[in-house]
Amino acid sequence: DTNNTNIKLSLPVVCFVWQLSMIILFGVFVRYNEESDTHWVDYRKENNITSDIENDYYFRYPSFQDVHVMIFVGFGFLMTFLKRYSFGAVGFNFLVAAFGIQWALLMQGWFHSLDYTDGKIKIGIENLINADFCVAGCLIAYGAVLGKVSPVQLLVMTLFGVTLFAVEEYIILNVLHAKDAGGSMVIHTFGAYYGLSISWVLYRPNLDKSKHLNGSVYHSDVFAMIGTLFLWMFWPSFNSAIADHGDGQHRAAINTYLALASTVLTTVAMSSLFEKTGKLDMVHIQNSTLAGGVAVGTAAEFMLSPYGSLIVGFFCGIISTLGYIYFSPFLEEKLKIQDTCGIHNLHAMPGVIGGIVGAISAAAATNTVYGDLGLENTFDFTGPFAKRVPTIQGGYQAAGLCVALCFGIGGGIFVGLVLKLPIWGDPADENCFDDEIYWEVPEDEESVPPILAYNNHMIPNKHADM
Amino acid sequence: DTNNTNIKLSLPVVCFVWQLSMIILFGVFVRYNEESDTHWVDYRKENNITSDIENDYYFRYPSFQDVHVMIFVGFGFLMTFLKRYSFGAVGFNFLVAAFGIQWALLMQGWFHSLDYTDGKIKIGIENLINADFCVAGCLIAYGAVLGKVSPVQLLVMTLFGVTLFAVEEYIILNVLHAKDAGGSMVIHTFGAYYGLSISWVLYRPNLDKSKHLNGSVYHSDVFAMIGTLFLWMFWPSFNSAIADHGDGQHRAAINTYLALASTVLTTVAMSSLFEKTGKLDMVHIQNSTLAGGVAVGTAAEFMLSPYGSLIVGFFCGIISTLGYIYFSPFLEEKLKIQDTCGIHNLHAMPGVIGGIVGAISAAAATNTVYGDLGLENTFDFTGPFAKRVPTIQGGYQAAGLCVALCFGIGGGIFVGLVLKLPIWGDPADENCFDDEIYWEVPEDEESVPPILAYNNHMIPNKHADM
Amino acid sequence: DTNNTNIKLSLPVVCFVWQLSMIILFGVFVRYNEESDTHWVDYRKENNITSDIENDYYFRYPSFQDVHVMIFVGFGFLMTFLKRYSFGAVGFNFLVAAFGIQWALLMQGWFHSLDYTDGKIKIGIENLINADFCVAGCLIAYGAVLGKVSPVQLLVMTLFGVTLFAVEEYIILNVLHAKDAGGSMVIHTFGAYYGLSISWVLYRPNLDKSKHLNGSVYHSDVFAMIGTLFLWMFWPSFNSAIADHGDGQHRAAINTYLALASTVLTTVAMSSLFEKTGKLDMVHIQNSTLAGGVAVGTAAEFMLSPYGSLIVGFFCGIISTLGYIYFSPFLEEKLKIQDTCGIHNLHAMPGVIGGIVGAISAAAATNTVYGDLGLENTFDFTGPFAKRVPTIQGGYQAAGLCVALCFGIGGGIFVGLVLKLPIWGDPADENCFDDEIYWEVPEDEESVPPILAYNNHMIPNKHADM
């Protein structure tokens, strides 16, 4: 009962074909925009831009790099908590993200950055941030299926995931004109339900066979804290990266900083309260402390006010930790959804809360609080949307949340069915959560002593000196 | 002789009560300032600010994020060096910091950012940095008591620590009008003596019982280097984060970069010189290499000149390493101060040196070196302090150092007595430095083989595969 | 046959003498420049600079900090992959970098930042970045000799390396007026051939004696991924850090982002294709994924166009991975070059490719693509070089590559001979790759059980609980 996990043909073929396609499509479609092109010197003069420092690059580059760290180190290391799947966690995360950002630049480019005068996508720093954002949705989904799929399946998941993302994002941000600076709806809700639906379709009734590897060891938990902390620290940059210049970015960073601080306190409280002797559980500290950042994503740019951010964080820490304690077992036993990293608790529930908070706070916006110009600026009530008012905006925000949910669930079921085909080299139930399947794992010397050899044969985990 | 370390009631209660209080106080007091509020668009026009890029956010956000990394990853990972207290190091550091920054925003806000027209604290990016700074003082103090206190005690320490910090900071910076951009006095001197005094009051004569856990293993030392390096690399941001726009931030970064480079060389030299066969000791490399950043804190903004910075770093590397070799044992045996991380060598002595360097370089400032306008700008000789001259300023700097010392020692003794109450769930002597007390620690599989079971019962550290 | 590896005298002496010399030389030569000096307030007025935000500090500080992370965490952790040389990897990297940046500030300062009016070197943020760059060359070279040299040898290597770097850089950038924003030639080609030549001179025919330590264990590979990812993520900052303000920095970041993404895909493909069962090899993922960043260094600032960057990354992933599979064994067996980290595959070949790509793309530059002003700006066709045209520029770029190669190989052979002197305390063949020689290594408890004692004596690696 061992699956064929040999991906010697499929993985290289997918990578090469994909990368060559990217080169061709970029050759046909992608160019620098006016701020990253050498003609900037002329553009600057024509537009009366007084200094190079007003190039969008300087408004967004620091946030971009923080987001980049979240995508590659944050998501990658957060998933290293498994005792023998750290290579897969950080390595496949790396592969998936590098793969996805290229496709995201194209997909998002066609929707948002197409220059109709010459049919080219014009890219700048904001496109790079959006590509990272887009890939974040797929990496969230990876969390649900961590250890149970092959890298080829991950690439397929990402290919479809990025495509679906670009469409739902266009509908939510452009058609519905909803605001979602930090992506509570567009990124987290979509990504989480996409991953959960895939995991539901790929349900493994006999996953218990690899139960001994589905847990952490001491140092793998410390590695995972690297991921947690870089996500936590840089979340203010995530939620402010594509917010409006000036007060928009400023306010988004403050709101996120506060929501996250509040979440830590209630996560610790709940973790202690629900363990037998008041001890803390690393699973909660690694994950639920981040829920406030997710939930404040949509409203980060709004006048949520500092205490509003604290309240959002307060409840998300509670709900997310309760999710790990009560809801995850329920999901697995009753709904047949195996969620390795608990993304339902970290991204799905907080994402939905974030969408609701966004809808309510948009609907409650007033000229008194925002100022006339401030209201117009924050919600972009200009052009075709010049007549929209806050209450109506609140309705469109809620509609946006529904779109994200539908795309996540529907897309996930479809992609899950595709991934069920027996051609992708996924591991057998007894080989899940094991790097040995897809990686050359170093032989750890201490297992060699003959006196221990017998024991080591009994125990799947053969690294004694690690 | 086992203490009751069950914190199932106390920890959740403190966290919830605290967080609810924060929400109420933020609701009453805290609002966005004019640069993070939607009215910025009007404010910008009224104040003839030509571009959004002149929002203070863009001057300080990159430094803020670096400081944020120092607080959460830097301090957190620096303390992971203990073989079985890495969860406590990085996890409680996380809790304490998230807890403290909220209280700091309020306390510092009342002193520095209160808008008297409406009685509200108006916050922006600089407040976030200052809150991180304030918490740094408490995290320094945590280093002295690492492994010996309960999380509830840490929260109490932080509550009082932040309060004391805000008061001494107000006295030093506003009343005395001393300058302390990098906080040699306000942060390091205060925080270190605060922690040392607490540790003195909480002296454990039988701490030897957990001696076997008070040390590192190979990979825990590598984890600690993550903390060291992020502190070292981002220290220029720490010292320049709230310095004056333009040359002030620029100069502070240069001075810190140089002081730290110099410290590394003399730390390595001293470490090699005082070990038996010239080998290096990780304790010195992890800690003393940072002393130059502490000591250049106050004067970073001044015209210390590049070679001045090198000199400061030179001596601090020597003094700090000698501290680990000679002074720490003396502190423990004679003065009964148990200092787990050696904060006396990393923060206390370099902090005092930093205060003195600041006083001397302020007193020696001249119009020739600074320029007329430059002198006025650097020392803010304006308003009620328009008539102050450098020599006088030097005196006030020295006075500021004394204030920091007094608050640290006095406050620490008081808080230490509070923490001595037998209600906080602190560990027994034989359970110090052990994550098992407050954390669900994963069972590491390799301990299972029956042939080793007996040995593992003998050895407190039961993780064989970690 | 044990070498004398006692460096108790030599290491402290070198560090102290060096640091004192630095203080004296900085005292004589180094001052703040007009943007980091308190006279900035006057300078600003005289030069009609409207806002402090136009201080070069704000254009470059975020990139500087990213580069700083690459130097200290990136290079340092990338080399922690060896099972028992992580202290040496991250610790000596720290020492060498802190040592080198000071000397680099002087050497590069004399060539590039000397103010002839007063004979002083005037430093600002760009000098700090360039010092970090300069040291990168030496850290690349360290990769070739990792585990085989003493810290004193590393310091000698760095002293000469920085000196040679400053001269070749001056020739390439100023005399030849070649462009090399990301240093494919100046940093990577020079540094790699410098290290390889030294390793060639220091060839150890009996290195097999320490073969058991020349490999990774599970968690050391995860530590190395920290280095890989921080290098990968921040490489756009590396290549754009000293690029032209505005579109120059913007474009360099985009090109590097794309080249690196492309490299990941082809590295994974090749790694899978050439392993027996399609498994991935951590050595490739840790190293070859970075090759695209190296190779796009020179041309990052040019109008390489997005698809051009993808193409460069595409080929570098392939070539670099093939290098690890076929060329490294050949280098060691036939050419007698022992290259611990495989810098030939990560820096040497991609560096040369980068130089060639730079030459071709410079030669192919046209006024149509760049615009008249854009062309002049990008290649600095001003002053004495006002009459230069792209085709000629391409020739000078190629000449620059040759200069880097000559300095690397020639300098490396010379320095290798110096390091062959039997006075530097380098380890015997059987002690290579072992931290025990130069570090106090914590005794790991699990080795104590008597039942294992015999085995542990047999096995050099005695850390059972790590």
Side-chain angles (χ1 to χ4, degrees), chain B residues 86-254:
Chain B
S86 300
F87 289 9
V90 79
F92 295 152
N93 182 83
F94 192 14
L95 171 62
V96 161
F99 175 91
I101 52 179
Q102 299 178 53
W103 183 227
L105 282 171
L106 282 166
M107 282 300 301
Q108 296 181 312
W110 281 315
F111 281 119
H112 300 286
S113 308
L114 200 59
D115 181 341
Y116 291 99
T117 60
D118 60 1
K120 305 293 185 195
I121 296 165
K122 302 288 172 67
I123 63 170
I125 189 71
E126 196 169 337
N127 298 72
L128 304 191
I129 297 169
N130 275 314
D132 273 24
F133 276 6
C134 180
V135 146
C138 296
L139 298 178
I140 290 165
Y142 180 23
V145 297
L146 181 74
K148 300 176 295 183
V149 293
S150 75
V152 181
Q153 282 177 308
L154 285 174
L155 295 180
V156 174
M157 244 177 86
T158 307
L159 172 57
F160 285 107
V162 167
T163 312
L164 289 161
F165 183 101
V167 177
E168 58 113 30
E169 183 190 41
Y170 178 75
I171 296 174
I172 295 172
L173 302 187
N174 296 54
V175 180
L176 300 177
H177 195 70
K179 303 291 287 181
D180 197 12
S184 297
M185 305 183 288
V186 168
I187 300 167
H188 297 285
T189 302
F190 165 76
Y193 285 101
Y194 181 63
L196 291 167
S197 304
I198 290 172
S199 194
W200 178 68
V201 177
L202 298 180
Y203 181 68
R204 289 167 178 265
N206 300 313
L207 192 59
D208 266 4
K209 287 183 183 170
S210 52
K211 197 182 173 183
H212 58 282
L213 289 175
N214 191 359
S216 66
V217 287
Y218 194 67
H219 280 174
S220 71
D221 269 328
V222 182
F223 277 119
M225 282 303 293
I226 296 175
T228 300
L229 289 174
F230 276 101
L231 287 171
W232 195 92
M233 297 180 303
F234 289 164
W235 215 294
S237 296
F238 193 93
N239 287 348
S240 67
I242 57 162
D244 286 344
H245 288 177
D247 64 294
Q249 290 194 290
H250 203 153
R251 192 165 55 254
I254 293 171

Side-chain angles (χ1 to χ4, degrees), chain A residues 57 61 64-65 68 72 101 125 128 132, chain C residues 62-64 66-67 70 133 181-182 229-243 248-261 290 292-294 296 300:
Chain A
Y57 178 80
Y61 192 72
F64 158 66
Q65 275 293 6
H68 220 39
F72 289 88
I101 51 179
I125 188 70
L128 305 192
D132 273 24
Chain C
S63 307
F64 159 66
D66 293 348
V67 170
M70 293 173 75
F133 277 4
L229 289 174
F230 276 102
L231 287 170
W232 195 91
M233 296 180 304
F234 289 165
W235 215 294
S237 296
F238 193 92
N239 287 348
S240 67
I242 56 162
Q249 291 194 289
H250 203 152
R251 192 165 53 252
I254 294 172
N255 286 333
T256 311
Y257 176 94
L258 290 171
L260 284 164
L290 301 167
V294 174
V296 85

Side-chain angles (χ1 to χ4, degrees), chain A residues 212-263:
Chain A
H212 58 283
L213 289 176
N214 191 359
S216 66
V217 287
Y218 194 67
H219 279 175
S220 71
D221 269 327
V222 182
F223 276 120
M225 281 304 293
I226 296 174
T228 299
L229 289 174
F230 276 102
L231 287 170
W232 195 91
M233 297 179 305
F234 289 165
W235 215 294
S237 296
F238 193 92
N239 287 347
S240 66
I242 57 163
D244 286 344
H245 288 178
D247 63 294
Q249 290 193 290
H250 202 152
R251 192 166 53 253
I254 293 173
N255 286 333
T256 311
Y257 176 94
L258 290 171
L260 284 164
S262 178
T263 308

Side-chain angles (χ1 to χ4, degrees), chain C residues 155-169:
Chain C
L155 294 180
V156 174
M157 240 176 90
T158 307
L159 172 57
F160 284 107
V162 168
T163 312
L164 289 161
F165 183 101
V167 178
E168 59 114 28
E169 183 190 42

Side-chain angles (χ1 to χ4, degrees), chain C residues 18-310:
Chain C
W18 182 258
Q19 193 56 55
L20 285 168
S21 314
M22 286 300 102
I23 290 173
I24 294 165
L25 288 168
F26 270 66
V28 176
F29 285 109
V30 183
R31 298 293 179 269
Y32 304 115
N33 73 8
E34 64 282 336
E35 296 187 284
S36 59
D37 187 285
T38 42
H39 291 89
W40 156 257
V41 61
D42 301 314
Y43 179 86
R44 209 188 114 178
K45 275 182 200 161
E46 287 159 21
N47 291 269
N48 281 319
I49 296 166
T50 55
S51 164
D52 278 331
I53 198 85
E54 291 183 63
N55 191 305
D56 194 38
Y57 177 81
Y58 300 101
F59 286 94
R60 306 206 184 274
Y61 191 72
S63 307
F64 159 66
Q65 275 294 4
D66 293 348
V67 170
H68 219 38
V69 172
M70 293 173 75
I71 299 300
F72 289 88
V73 161
F75 282 107
F77 272 84
L78 185 61
M79 297 192 291
T80 57
F81 72 99
L82 288 175
K83 65 183 79 165
R84 290 300 279 181
Y85 209 72
S86 300
F87 289 8
V90 80
F92 295 153
N93 182 81
F94 193 15
L95 171 63
V96 160
F99 174 90
I101 51 178
Q102 299 179 52
W103 182 228
L105 281 172
L106 283 166
M107 282 299 302
Q108 295 181 313
W110 282 315
F111 280 119
H112 300 288
S113 308
L114 200 61
D115 181 342
Y116 291 99
T117 60
D118 61 0
K120 305 293 185 197
I121 296 164
K122 301 289 172 67
I123 64 170
I125 189 70
E126 196 170 336
N127 298 72
L128 304 191
I129 297 169
N130 275 313
D132 273 23
F133 277 4
C134 180
V135 146
C138 296
L139 298 179
I140 290 164
Y142 180 25
V145 297
L146 182 74
K148 299 176 296 183
V149 294
S150 76
V152 181
Q153 284 178 307
L154 285 175
L155 294 180
V156 174
M157 240 176 90
T158 307
L159 172 57
F160 284 107
V162 168
T163 312
L164 289 161
F165 183 101
V167 178
E168 59 114 28
E169 183 190 42
Y170 178 74
I171 296 174
I172 295 172
L173 303 188
N174 295 51
V175 178
L176 300 178
H177 194 71
K179 303 290 288 180
D180 197 12
S184 298
M185 304 182 289
V186 168
I187 300 167
H188 297 285
T189 302
F190 165 76
Y193 284 101
Y194 181 62
L196 291 167
S197 304
I198 290 172
S199 193
W200 178 68
V201 177
L202 297 180
Y203 181 69
R204 289 170 178 263
N206 301 315
L207 192 58
D208 266 2
K209 287 183 184 172
S210 51
K211 198 182 172 184
H212 58 282
L213 288 176
N214 191 358
S216 65
V217 287
Y218 194 68
H219 280 174
S220 70
D221 269 329
V222 182
F223 276 119
M225 282 303 293
I226 296 174
T228 300
L229 289 174
F230 276 102
L231 287 170
W232 195 91
M233 296 180 304
F234 289 165
W235 215 294
S237 296
F238 193 92
N239 287 348
S240 67
I242 56 162
D244 286 343
H245 287 177
D247 62 294
Q249 291 194 289
H250 203 152
R251 192 165 53 252
I254 294 172
N255 286 333
T256 311
Y257 176 94
L258 290 171
L260 284 164
S262 178
T263 308
V264 174
L265 274 281
T266 53
T267 298
V268 167
M270 295 303 284
S271 185
S272 176
L273 199 61
F274 282 82
E275 294 287 325
K276 280 171 299 185
T277 57
K279 291 186 185 186
L280 298 173
D281 191 327
M282 261 291 171
V283 172
H284 308 151
I285 307 302
Q286 282 160 10
N287 293 283
S288 299
T289 50
L290 301 167
V294 174
V296 85
T298 302
E301 221 183 341
F302 302 163
M303 292 290 282
L304 186 58
S305 81
Y307 71 92
S309 306
L310 290 181

Side-chain angles (χ1 to χ4, degrees), chain B residues 140 183-185 187-194 196 284 287-288 290-298 312 315-331 335 339 341-358 401 405:
Chain B
I140 290 165
S184 297
M185 305 183 288
I187 300 167
H188 297 285
T189 302
F190 165 76
Y193 285 101
Y194 181 63
L196 291 167
H284 308 152
N287 294 284
S288 298
L290 301 167
V294 174
V296 85
T298 301
V312 171
F315 286 107
C316 283
I318 295 172
I319 290 166
S320 178
T321 313
L322 284 178
Y324 278 98
I325 296 168
Y326 292 117
F327 210 67
S328 284
F330 172 82
L331 267 188
L335 300 186
D339 178 8
C341 296
I343 63 165
H344 190 266
N345 314 306
L346 171 47
H347 297 281
M349 291 191 299
V352 171
I353 292 171
I356 295 168
V357 168
L401 180 59
L405 277 164

